[in-house]
């Protein structure tokens, strides 16, 4: 993030302005990614008019960066109408898509409408691996064709790759592919639990050894020693800082109008069909509860070695049962990165050691 | 002497934060913040009001500055903003496709 963007974020936070909002236009999708956290059935998406009204409210509230995501956004027949409306309201618009439905004509339209960037999910450079994750034969070719169409229009494209056991060996190939295409590439080892709380998809995530390999790959990390170093104990300022921007300068709106602190933080704080967006943002008790959390308030984590350097996600912690508690997935990352177990891991080890081992008693001879 | 017309580039993204504009260039995503004077210029740049009129009507009363100096500064500013493709300049009125006012969003 640029220094100017940091300054703007600080100012927005001080003024309680939602600088950046992700709106999922639909949960419907034309792919069936094995790790996806969404229910793809339509349970009553907002209409075109409802979304336009929401966009007006968000512009009035000061939202600057608007991310349209899904589901697959191009499945909405009114997608370009909504995009045009958003750009008329002078939002900085970013898109997240699998790009399967983007051809030359759509790419040209996106360019004309001044979209800032398009993030596209690519899981492997090999069709047999990528298509086995999306469960759609031919999807890699379609997505890569789309990237070329978008690039030919001069648009900024970012490849997003989620690291799982099924594609672990292919991230260098995706990175090389991104370089060949002249686009950015991001790699995320986090698999998110389903929004209904089902955690079975987490089994698709990479194991400790694979994560260790990624965290020690200088082509991804840069300075490995600095990245893997144990952070100095936090000062008072660090302990008074916020865990992340969720609820402070960012939030998320579902296709049904529900407002959450973040796409990865399924704590409902209100619905734009019943309340004004700004009223939910400013006055929701739950949003203000999220907003009140500082690092010093975290149970377990406050005393952890990694508290000031951990990527702890409050949303993942919430899905584990306590938004002030630890997020085990992030504990694992901190441990793999530094070799030092987190306070949460140590606490679990102690609890396990304290369990009484029940052994079968020798059979007593009966008299 | 020909008059200069200024218009907001519709490819730029913009929002007002506490009275100052945040602008993102549509060309290369470079982010700018505009000071009060530049913000007035941006907000008044409708493509049909000449720059000298914007200066005399909107900028001079706000900042107690001589018209000649203000006009020269405003022209330099407009040219700089145009070089980043966040504003358009022309010696004839500019037709704009933006339907809505960028003033929306002064959330303060």
């Amino acid at each position: 993030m640029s220094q100017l963007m940091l300054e703007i974020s600080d100012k927005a936070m001080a003024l309680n302005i939602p600088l950046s909002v992700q709106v999922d236009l639909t949960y419907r999708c034309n792919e069936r990614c094995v790790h996806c956290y969404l229910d793809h059935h339509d349970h009553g998406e907002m209409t075109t008019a409802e979304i336009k009204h929401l966009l007006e409210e968000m512009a009035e509230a000061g939202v600057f960066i608007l991310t349209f995501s899904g589901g697959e956004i191009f499945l909405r027949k009114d997608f370009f109408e909504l995009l045009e409306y958003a750009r008329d309201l002078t939002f900085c618009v970013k898109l997240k898509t699998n790009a399967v439905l983007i051809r030359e004509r759509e790419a040209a339209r996106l360019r004309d409408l001044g979209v800032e960037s398009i993030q596209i999910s690519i899981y492997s450079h090999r069709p047999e691996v990528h298509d086995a994750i999306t469960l759609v034969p031919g999807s890699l070719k379609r997505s890569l064709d789309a990237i070329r169409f978008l690039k030919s229009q001069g648009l900024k494209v970012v490849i997003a790759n989620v690291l799982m056991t099924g594609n672990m060996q292919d991230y260098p190939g995706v990175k090389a592919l991104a370089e060949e295409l002249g686009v950015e590439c991001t790699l995320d080892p986090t698999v998110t639990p389903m929004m209904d709380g089902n955690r079975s998809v987490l089994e698709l995530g990479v194991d400790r050894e694979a994560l260790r390999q990624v965290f020690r790959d200088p082509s991804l990390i840069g300075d490995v020693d600095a990245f893997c170093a144990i952070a100095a104990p936090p000062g008072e300022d660090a302990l008074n800082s916020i865990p992340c921007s969720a609820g402070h300068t960012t939030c998320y709106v579902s296709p049904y109008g529900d407002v959450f602190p973040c796409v990865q933080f399924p704590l409902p704080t209100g619905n734009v069909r019943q309340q004004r967006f700004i009223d939910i943002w400013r006055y929701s008790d739950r949003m203000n509860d999220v907003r009140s959390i500082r690092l010093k308030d975290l149970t377990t984590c406050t005393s952890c070695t990694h508290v000031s350097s951990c990527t702890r996600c409050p949303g993942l912690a919430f899905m584990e049962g306590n938004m002030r508690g630890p997020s085990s997935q992030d504990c694992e990352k901190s441990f793999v990165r530094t070799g030092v177990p987190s306070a949460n891991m140590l606490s679990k080890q102690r609890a396990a050691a304290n369990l009484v081992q029940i052994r079968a008693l020798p059979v007593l001879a009966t008299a | 002497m020909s008059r200069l017309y200024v218009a907001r580039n519709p490819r730029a993204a913009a929002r007002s934060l506490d009275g100052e504009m945040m602008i993102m260039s549509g060309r290369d995503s470079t982010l700018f913040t505009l000071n009060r004077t530049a913000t007035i210029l941006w907000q008044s740049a409708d493509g049909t009001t000449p720059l000298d009129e914007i200066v005399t009507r909107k900028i001079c009363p706000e900042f107690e500055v001589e018209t000649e100096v203000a006009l020269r500064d405003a022209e330099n500013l407009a040219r700089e903003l145009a070089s980043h493709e966040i504003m358009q300049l022309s010696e004839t009125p500019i037709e704009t496709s933006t339907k809505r006012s960028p003033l929306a969003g002064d959330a303060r």
Side-chain angles (χ1 to χ4, degrees):
Chain A
M1 193 186 283
S2 70
Q3 183 59 33
L4 182 57
M5 196 65 215
L6 283 172
E7 287 171 21
I8 287 173
S9 293
D10 286 349
K11 192 170 177 181
M13 195 169 118
L15 296 167
N16 195 19
I17 291 185
L19 195 62
S20 176
V21 177
Q22 176 171 321
V23 177
D24 278 0
L25 297 175
T26 180
Y27 284 159
R28 289 174 289 128
C29 196
N30 48 2
E31 291 184 341
R32 284 292 178 271
C33 297
V34 293
H35 61 290
C36 186
Y37 53 88
L38 295 174
D39 166 8
H40 295 301
H41 294 288
D42 179 0
H43 297 287
E45 291 171 5
M46 285 188 282
T47 63
T48 310
E50 284 176 318
I51 295 176
K52 285 183 175 178
H53 181 66
L54 169 64
L55 295 177
E56 287 169 12
E57 288 192 340
M58 293 200 310
E60 202 175 327
V63 176
F64 181 42
I65 298 166
L66 170 68
T67 302
F68 278 149
S69 183
E72 176 43 49
I73 50 179
F74 284 88
L75 287 182
R76 283 222 35 151
K77 290 188 168 47
D78 58 0
F79 170 70
F80 277 109
E81 184 180 347
L82 295 171
L83 176 59
E84 190 173 351
Y85 202 77
R87 288 294 296 122
D88 283 347
L89 289 164
T90 68
F91 286 106
C92 167
V93 178
K94 298 170 184 259
L95 305 179
K96 291 183 182 176
T97 171
N98 58 39
V100 162
L101 296 173
I102 297 177
R103 308 281 89 185
E104 291 100 324
R105 197 177 62 166
E106 288 78 17
R109 190 89 196 276
L110 294 177
R111 196 263 170 204
D112 289 346
L113 288 169
V115 167
E116 194 272 335
S117 61
I118 301 108
Q119 180 182 299
I120 298 171
S121 307
I122 300 290
Y123 305 113
S124 170
H125 58 297
R126 295 186 292 159
E128 63 271 27
V129 176
H130 177 91
D131 296 356
I133 289 172
T134 64
L135 302 182
V136 177
S139 56
L140 178 63
K141 183 181 183 314
R142 296 278 298 191
S143 296
L144 294 182
D145 286 348
I147 291 174
R148 292 187 179 99
F149 295 141
L150 294 164
K151 282 298 290 177
S152 73
Q153 293 293 334
L155 284 157
K156 180 180 167 187
V157 176
V158 179
I159 284 179
N161 182 12
V162 177
L163 200 63
M164 293 171 278
T165 50
N167 65 347
M168 169 62 202
Q169 298 310 320
D170 287 5
Y171 76 82
V174 175
K175 196 163 171 285
L177 179 63
E179 281 165 16
E180 179 195 319
L181 292 165
V183 302
E184 286 178 38
C185 180
T186 65
L187 182 66
D188 187 351
T190 310
V191 175
T192 305
M194 302 280 290
M195 287 192 91
D196 64 6
N198 184 336
R199 301 178 70 82
S200 61
V201 287
L202 299 189
E203 289 169 13
L204 299 167
V206 291
D207 63 16
R208 195 171 277 180
E209 195 43 49
L211 201 55
R212 186 170 285 123
Q213 180 188 326
V214 169
F215 284 174
R216 280 159 184 74
D217 181 342
S219 73
L220 292 175
I221 301 302
D223 185 342
V224 172
D225 289 340
F227 180 77
C228 294
I230 301 164
E236 200 171 325
D237 281 356
L239 288 173
N240 280 316
S241 64
I242 59 171
C244 77
S245 61
H248 292 275
T249 54
T250 65
C251 70
Y252 162 71
V253 185
S254 81
Y256 313 123
D258 294 311
V259 180
F260 301 91
C262 170
V263 66
Q264 204 165 251
F265 198 153
L267 172 71
T269 61
N271 188 292
V272 295
R273 283 170 156 157
Q274 280 121 39
Q275 290 168 273
R276 289 196 316 154
F277 170 79
I278 192 64
D279 290 337
I280 298 168
W281 175 260
R282 283 184 183 155
Y283 306 121
S284 157
D285 289 342
R286 286 176 170 178
M287 197 66 92
N288 280 315
D289 191 21
V290 170
R291 211 169 271 151
S292 72
I293 301 172
R294 296 292 178 273
L295 288 187
K296 66 181 179 187
D297 305 322
L298 303 178
T299 55
T300 313
C301 300
T302 305
S303 60
C304 181
T305 309
H306 305 298
V307 64
S308 58
S309 62
C310 182
T311 55
R312 177 189 172 276
C313 168
L316 292 176
F318 171 76
M319 283 189 262
E320 270 187 65
N322 180 4
M323 64 179 164
R324 289 175 171 79
S327 148
S328 298
Q329 285 171 275
D330 292 299
C331 291
E332 187 70 10
K333 285 182 206 160
S334 289
F335 172 61
V336 170
R337 189 170 53 81
T338 62
V340 177
S342 71
N344 178 41
M345 294 165 95
L346 293 171
S347 158
K348 282 181 178 167
Q349 281 170 13
R350 277 194 297 273
N354 288 338
L355 285 176
V356 177
Q357 184 81 36
I358 299 173
R359 286 179 299 175
L361 289 171
V363 177
L364 295 173
T366 52
Chain B
M1 186 179 138
S2 61
R3 302 181 98 177
L4 203 56
Y5 294 84
V6 288
R8 297 177 287 273
N9 188 328
R11 291 181 49 75
R15 190 69 71 229
S16 173
L17 179 65
D18 196 24
E20 292 185 348
M21 295 303 300
M22 302 175 276
I23 313 274
M24 190 173 279
S25 161
R27 181 182 60 186
D28 55 9
S29 300
T30 308
L31 185 64
F32 301 86
T33 54
L34 306 185
N35 63 21
R36 299 272 175 187
T37 318
T39 294
I40 293 173
L41 180 61
W42 168 268
Q43 291 176 333
S44 309
D46 57 9
T48 56
T49 311
L51 182 62
D52 58 288
E53 206 173 304
I54 294 172
V55 169
T56 51
R57 286 193 183 175
K58 302 273 180 66
I59 294 177
C60 288
E62 190 84 13
F63 296 98
E64 286 184 21
V65 60
E66 282 180 39
T67 308
E68 200 178 318
V69 175
L71 184 57
R72 195 176 56 233
D73 288 351
E75 196 173 315
N76 287 338
L77 179 62
R79 289 193 191 285
E80 194 191 334
L81 296 178
S83 74
H84 294 291
E85 291 186 23
I86 62 179
M87 194 169 266
Q88 297 168 313
L89 287 184
S90 172
E91 291 183 355
T92 55
I94 303 163
E95 200 175 314
T96 59
S97 57
T98 304
K99 295 168 194 156
R100 292 176 173 277
S101 164
L103 300 180
D106 192 352
R108 198 64 213 279

